């Protein structure tokens, strides 16, 4: 069951590399949040109530509801529909992303560490790669935020892969930071679209030496 | 509730008083309608900061009770950085307030600025006193968010761009650091109880495969480079120091950079017990030399004096990393260097705020004759430039001398000679540009130069003179304290 969910998660990563509409990006983020919640529930069998609530909050509430809702509002406010001008053609990025998944699978397989779960490791490394790749290859800054969220999803999966739970106080700090950083990023996006009348990253060239 | 509070041990009470007090002051800042009251609320915060600082002195090396054993603990090293943060945050707060009132800001702008500044200092203090790498990470990420609001303070296109880039690249960088920390946990699985406290990690790294340790260190240094402002992710840091108000630039250079280096030093302490020590030193030297090289190149190229100071910070961070990598007496030298650099750079940055006020521009090409317009402030710059380029009688001369000594002791002759060459280039670049600002004739433009209150330079004089005094006759207690702080580092030998 866990393997099935992880495979679904990986497929959603592949879909990210070809998606062009912002709404489908947001839908994928929502979907990934739900899948991550399922994986965490199945993985952490003996779980205290506090940790259970915490994971529900982090995956379902923040990753699957609040952040997508917030990003959707941002799109509506700025009248955005498509990220139509990627730096790299979508077919090429599909090939790059797929080869990244294959590469991380080979990497995980060759590590020969018996306590590392290969499927987790593959999915999380490829999610982190895709997140960073989205940021590099797309021009709209909203896509950059989505790339950042995918990176965070990959890191969340990696933290599940090590199995042990981080202490509560650290978890709370991390969640708070993640949540606030998305809010702050969103705040700056709306300011940028007001000031520069665009959300293309090329227009941000005021500062240079 | 109060009864429960009394049952807690004294150190935990201190932490609760500090955090709750800061939070209360933030709420009051938010609620009050008066701009003056908003700024005056910094006085109780400075009191709280000093209170925390003094109380932590009595807690050095003592494990805190009541469930906080693995999260907060201060050692000699942490105490040095905490005191440094407290000392430089006082002039920064004073000059931020002066700046705010001269800009005639709206209440909302002032309130956002003050709350962010307060939380920024509080989060830096939190990162310093935490002994858990996860918690330290969370505090450092929080400083990113506060800093981004401070950078955005001017609310123009330039500030907006800098703030966006800063918060975005910092968030990604620090996410990479988190991956590095997770790798530590991943290689750690055989140990039943996973513990991310520094003491716990020190015990467990011995059983780990060195490839994981190396990977982890690479991710960590890449992530924290954005906080320290060195290669590879230095660009956003430079932009931030340029676009932010000068006192905030001072805090980023003199405060956050030190906290970033402290965070890196914690991992150096942890990994230093394993056999990747030599490899780690190589990485630090590469990062340091590349940073100083890039700083030297850009210092010749740029004409914006705030960016010049930012590149100079990058240079000094690189020197500190090289000092750490050279080991032996290099640790004491690195800490001394960071202390002296913080004092000098804060005073220079604050003074640059006044230069900006006088000339209304940041380009070195359009300004000059500052000595005639503001003699007391100009002498701060003169002394500051002598100090920052480590000419005697500056304290930085002492620390850089010790760094070269430790480089020779550890037989790193090539590194030492490259460093010497680059430092000479930087001296030339900084000297020519800043002496033009001070001594060339006043440019004939139509702008009417604003007069400036000479008293605003007093705080910088105090900082510079303290630094020079400590450089000429380093107080014995200071050297003793630093030596105690770094005595656990690998290859350490006393001064």
């Amino acid at each position: 069951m866990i393997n099935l969910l992880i495979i679904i998660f990986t497929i959603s990563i592949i879909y990210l590399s070809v998606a062009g509409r912002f709404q489908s990006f947001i839908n994928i983020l929502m979907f990934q949040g739900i899948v991550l919640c399922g994986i965490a529930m199945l993985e952490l069998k003996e779980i205290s109530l506090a940790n259970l609530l915490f994971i529900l909050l982090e995956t379902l509430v923040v990753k699957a509801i609040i952040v997508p809702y917030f990003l959707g509002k941002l799109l509506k406010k700025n009248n955005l529909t498509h990220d139509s001008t990627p730096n790299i053609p979508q077919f090429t990025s599909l090939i790059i992303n797929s080869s990244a998944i294959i590469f991380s699978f080979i990497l995980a397989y060759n590590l020969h560490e018996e306590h590392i779960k290969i499927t987790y490791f593959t999915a999380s490394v490829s999610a982190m790669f895709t997140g960073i790749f989205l940021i590099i290859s797309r021009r709209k800054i909203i896509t950059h935020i989505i790339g950042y969220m995918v990176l965070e999803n990959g890191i969340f999966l990696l933290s599940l892969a090590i199995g042990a739970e981080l202490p509560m106080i650290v978890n709370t700090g991390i969640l708070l930071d993640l949540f606030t950083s998305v809010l702050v990023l969103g705040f700056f996006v709306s300011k940028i679209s007001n000031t520069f009348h665009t959300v293309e990253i090329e227009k941000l060239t005021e500062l240079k030496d | 509730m109060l009864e429960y509070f009394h049952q807690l041990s004294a150190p935990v009470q201190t932490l609760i008083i500090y955090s709750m007090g800061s939070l209360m002051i933030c709420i009051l800042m938010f609620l009050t309608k008066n701009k003056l009251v908003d700024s005056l609320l910094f006085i109780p915060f400075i009191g709280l900061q000093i209170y925390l600082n003094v109380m932590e002195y009595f807690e050095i090396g003592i494990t805190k009770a009541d469930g906080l054993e693995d999260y907060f603990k201060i050692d000699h090293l942490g105490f040095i950085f905490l005191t440094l943060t407290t000392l430089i945050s006082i002039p920064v707060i004073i000059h931020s307030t002066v700046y705010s009132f001269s800009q005639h800001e709206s209440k909302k702008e002032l309130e956002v600025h003050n709350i962010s500044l307060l939380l920024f200092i509080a989060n830096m203090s939190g990162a310093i006193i935490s002994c858990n790498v996860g918690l330290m990470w969370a505090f450092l990420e929080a400083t990113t968010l506060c800093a981004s609001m401070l950078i955005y303070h001017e609310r123009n296109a330039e500030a907006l761009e800098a703030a966006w880039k800063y918060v975005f690249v910092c968030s990604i960088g620090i996410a990479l650091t988190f991956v590095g920390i997770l790798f530590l946990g991943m290689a750690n699985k055989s140990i039943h109880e996973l513990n991310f406290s520094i003491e716990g990690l020190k015990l467990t790294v011995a059983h780990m495969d060195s490839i994981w340790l190396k990977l982890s260190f690479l991710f960590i240094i890449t992530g924290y480079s954005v906080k320290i402002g060195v290669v590879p992710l230095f660009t956003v840091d430079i932009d931030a120091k340029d676009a932010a108000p000068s006192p905030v630039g001072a805090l980023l250079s003199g405060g956050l950079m030190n906290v970033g280096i402290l965070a890196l030093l914690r991992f150096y302490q942890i990994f230093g017990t394993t056999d990747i020590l030599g490899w780690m030193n190589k990485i630090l030297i590469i990062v340091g030399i590349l940073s100083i090289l890039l700083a030297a190149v850009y210092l010749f190229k740029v004409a914006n004096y705030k960016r010049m100071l930012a590149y100079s910070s990058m240079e000094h961070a690189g020197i500190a990393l090289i000092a750490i990598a050279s080991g032996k007496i290099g640790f004491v030298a690195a800490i001394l260097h960071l202390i002296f650099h913080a004092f000098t750079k804060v005073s220079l940055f604050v003074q640059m705020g006044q230069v900006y006020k006088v000339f209304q521009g940041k380009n070195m090409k359009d300004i000059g004759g500052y000595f005639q317009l503001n003699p007391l402030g100009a002498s701060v710059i003169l002394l500051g430039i002598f100090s920052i380029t480590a000419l005697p009688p500056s304290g930085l001369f002492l620390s850089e001398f010790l760094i070269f000594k430790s480089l020779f002791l550890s037989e790193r002759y090539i590194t030492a000679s490259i460093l010497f060459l680059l430092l000479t280039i930087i001296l030339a670049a900084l000297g020519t540009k800043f002496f033009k600002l001070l001594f060339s004739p006043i440019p004939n433009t139509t702008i009417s130069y604003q007069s400036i209150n000479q008293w605003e330079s007093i705080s910088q004089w105090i900082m510079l003179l303290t630094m020079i005094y400590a450089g000429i006759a380093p107080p014995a207690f200071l050297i003793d304290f630093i030596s105690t702080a770094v005595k656990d580092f690998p290859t350490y030998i006393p001064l």
Side-chain angles (χ1 to χ4, degrees):
Chain A
M1 184 63 186
I2 292 184
N3 281 342
L4 185 69
L5 284 178
I6 292 180
I7 291 168
I8 293 175
F9 181 83
T10 319
I11 293 171
S12 76
I13 293 170
I14 298 176
Y15 184 52
L16 266 181
S17 59
V18 285
R21 282 172 63 238
F22 285 121
Q23 197 54 52
S24 35
F25 280 132
I26 291 175
N27 290 343
I28 292 174
L29 276 189
M30 218 187 273
F31 181 70
Q32 284 190 347
I34 296 167
V35 172
L36 283 178
C37 178
I39 295 173
M41 287 298 125
L42 289 172
E43 170 62 30
L44 306 168
K45 291 186 191 81
E46 299 157 18
I47 194 169
S48 62
L49 183 68
N51 259 320
L52 177 79
L53 281 178
F54 177 80
I55 285 174
L56 273 179
L57 193 73
E58 177 163 11
T59 52
L60 274 187
V61 179
V62 174
K63 281 190 200 292
I65 298 172
I66 296 182
V67 172
Y69 169 76
F70 181 69
L71 287 175
K73 238 175 79 176
L74 215 60
L75 291 182
K76 211 172 274 171
K77 204 177 142 205
N78 296 309
N79 284 325
L80 296 167
T81 52
H82 285 74
D83 189 351
S84 48
T85 50
N87 288 336
I88 298 170
Q90 281 165 346
F91 182 67
T92 322
S93 52
L94 176 66
I95 291 175
I96 293 176
N97 269 336
S98 317
S99 32
I101 293 172
I102 295 168
F103 173 75
S104 40
F105 187 74
I106 296 171
L107 180 76
Y109 205 75
N110 281 322
L111 280 172
H112 295 303
E113 293 267 348
E114 67 272 20
H115 51 259
I116 289 172
K117 301 171 189 122
I118 293 177
T119 42
Y120 276 97
F121 192 81
T122 312
S124 61
V125 170
S126 43
M128 287 191 282
F129 178 83
T130 312
I132 293 177
F133 187 73
L134 265 182
I135 295 165
I136 298 168
S137 65
R138 305 293 178 114
R139 289 177 189 172
K140 294 267 195 303
I141 51 182
I142 298 226
T143 326
H144 291 186
I145 299 185
I146 289 164
Y148 173 65
M149 286 310 297
V150 175
L151 177 72
E152 288 288 343
N153 284 350
I155 292 175
F156 182 78
L157 205 57
L158 193 69
S159 71
L160 284 183
I162 66 170
E165 299 150 19
L166 285 168
M168 199 60 199
I169 184 167
V170 177
N171 261 336
T172 318
I174 291 168
L175 179 66
L176 206 66
D177 283 342
L178 176 69
F179 185 57
T180 335
S181 61
V182 174
L183 287 186
V184 171
L185 285 169
F187 168 76
F188 282 129
V189 171
S190 59
K191 288 289 168 193
I192 285 173
S193 70
N194 289 343
T195 312
F196 293 92
H197 305 291
T198 177
V199 286
E200 301 270 337
I201 197 72
E202 271 94 33
K203 300 293 184 298
L204 296 179
T205 50
E206 196 92 356
L207 290 163
K208 49 180 173 272
D209 292 305
Chain B
M1 187 106 172
L2 208 64
E3 219 167 84
Y4 177 69
F5 180 77
H6 283 301
Q7 283 168 8
L8 296 168
S9 61
V12 181
Q13 286 179 351
T14 311
L15 288 183
I16 291 178
I17 291 174
Y18 178 73
S19 51
M20 288 299 144
S22 310
L23 216 59
M24 286 295 287
I25 294 172
C26 280
I27 294 170
L28 285 178
M29 278 177 172
F30 180 71
L31 290 179
T32 176
K33 300 243 173 349
N34 189 325
K35 278 162 67 177
L36 187 67
V37 176
D38 214 316
S39 295
L40 283 178
L41 277 170
F42 267 125
I43 294 172
F45 176 69
I46 293 176
L48 266 179
Q49 183 73 27
I50 293 172
Y51 165 75
L52 175 77
N53 210 136
V54 171
M55 292 308 276
E56 289 301 323
Y57 178 74
F58 301 106
E59 297 298 322
I60 293 175
I62 298 174
T63 310
K64 293 189 173 38
D66 299 319
L68 291 178
E69 295 88 353
D70 288 338
Y71 305 112
F72 292 105
K73 182 183 176 184
I74 193 142
D75 55 0
H76 284 75
L77 190 62
F79 184 76
I80 293 170
F81 281 87
L82 184 63
T83 314
L84 191 57
T85 308
T86 307
L87 284 181
I88 65 164
S89 60
I90 294 169
V92 165
I93 287 174
I94 294 170
H95 286 281
S96 277
T97 311
V98 172
Y99 174 86
S100 302
F101 276 92
S102 68
Q103 296 293 102
H104 306 293
E105 288 161 357
S106 70
K107 164 74 178 82
K108 189 155 181 299
E109 283 172 13
L110 186 76
E111 159 193 307
V112 171
H113 175 268
N114 286 0
I115 292 176
S116 314
L117 185 61
L118 191 153
L119 288 178
F120 188 40
I121 296 168
N123 276 317
M124 282 201 295
S125 310
I128 292 168
I129 59 173
S130 57
C131 71
N132 180 305
V133 290
L135 194 64
M136 185 185 262
W137 179 91
F139 275 123
L140 274 173
E141 169 65 14
T143 60
T144 307
L145 303 172
C146 308
S148 70
M149 292 318 288
L150 290 172
I151 296 161
Y152 179 57
H153 183 66
E154 295 282 330
R155 284 171 173 67
N156 51 25
E158 191 189 282
L160 181 57
E161 184 189 335
W164 162 261
K165 286 181 177 170
Y166 188 79
V167 68
F168 194 73
V169 176
C170 264
S171 299
I172 289 182
I174 226 140
L176 292 182
T177 304
F178 194 64
V179 175
I181 295 173
L182 283 181
F183 277 164
L184 278 181
M186 188 169 268
N188 224 342
K189 191 71 180 293
S190 45
I191 284 82
H192 180 64
E193 190 67 27
L194 191 64
N195 189 341
F196 279 103
S197 73
I198 293 171
E199 294 301 322
L201 282 175
K202 263 185 194 167
L203 292 177
T204 52
V205 282
H207 309 289
M208 288 192 200
D209 198 1
S210 65
I211 184 78
W212 284 105
L213 294 180
K214 285 181 181 176
L215 258 181
S216 166
F217 186 73
L218 276 184
F219 271 96
I220 287 165
I221 196 170
T222 311
Y224 281 154
S225 74
V226 81
K227 291 281 163 203
I228 307 174
V230 288
V231 171
L233 298 174
F234 63 95
T235 47
V236 285
D237 205 51
I238 307 281
D239 289 346
K241 285 166 189 162
D242 177 18
S246 299
V248 175
L251 199 55
L252 286 172
S253 268
L256 190 60
M257 184 184 112
N258 293 344
V259 179
I261 290 184
L262 175 70
L264 194 63
L265 269 175
R266 297 292 192 203
F267 286 102
Y268 189 85
Q269 265 178 318
I270 293 168
F271 295 151
T273 51
T274 63
D275 52 0
I276 69 159
L277 178 67
W279 177 86
M280 206 158 60
N281 285 340
K282 270 188 204 128
I283 296 287
L284 285 180
I285 286 193
I286 291 170
V287 168
I289 288 285
L290 277 180
S291 307
I292 301 170
L293 178 70
L294 281 172
V297 172
Y298 277 111
L299 277 174
F300 262 109
K301 198 181 152 207
V302 296
N304 174 335
Y305 49 77
K306 276 168 94 177
R307 288 185 92 84
M308 289 188 73
L309 289 185
Y311 279 115
S312 156
S313 290
M314 177 169 145
E315 171 220 338
H316 285 285
I319 294 175
L321 292 187
I322 290 176
I324 292 163
S326 73
K328 297 192 168 53
I329 61 170
F331 299 114
V332 180
I335 307 287
L336 267 182
H337 193 78
L338 289 176
I339 295 171
F340 292 151
H341 167 258
F343 275 83
T344 317
K345 193 50 69 65
V346 168
S347 48
L348 271 174
F349 252 114
V350 169
Q351 183 60 40
M352 284 309 149
Q354 296 165 36
V355 173
Y356 184 72
K357 211 158 113 199
V358 171
F359 294 105
Q360 298 295 316
K362 288 194 282 197
N363 196 322
M364 281 284 187
K365 291 187 180 101
D366 314 329
I367 59 180
Y370 191 53
F371 235 115
Q372 293 162 45
L373 295 165
N374 180 8
L376 205 57
S379 44
V380 167
I381 297 184
L382 186 63
L383 197 59
I385 289 301
F386 269 111
S387 303
I388 207 79
T389 49
L391 296 176
S394 154
L396 288 163
F397 174 75
L398 172 75
S399 58
E400 284 189 12
F401 178 77
L402 289 175
I403 289 167
F404 275 107
K405 194 176 161 191
S406 80
L407 278 173
F408 283 121
L409 276 178
S410 54
E411 296 176 345
R412 295 183 191 275
Y413 302 115
I414 300 174
T415 313
S417 37
I418 297 174
L419 185 61
F420 193 76
L421 188 72
L422 290 175
L423 289 183
T424 318
I425 295 174
I426 288 170
L427 168 66
L430 278 174
T432 45
K433 290 196 178 165
F434 276 95
F435 285 157
K436 178 180 175 294
L437 164 71
L438 295 179
F439 299 114
S440 69
I442 303 173
N444 293 318
T445 45
T446 47
I447 308 165
S448 57
Y449 296 117
Q450 292 189 12
S451 65
I452 195 123
N453 191 345
Q454 302 269 322
W455 286 102
E456 285 185 31
S457 302
I458 292 297
S459 67
Q460 295 118 63
W461 268 107
I462 296 172
M463 276 189 283
L464 281 177
L465 291 178
T466 317
M467 187 273 298
I468 288 172
Y469 172 73
I472 295 172
F477 75 89
L478 182 69
I479 301 291
D480 283 349
F481 203 90
I482 297 175
S483 306
T484 325
V486 297
K487 72 172 188 302
D488 291 336
F489 279 82
T491 76
Y492 166 77
I493 54 170
L495 208 57

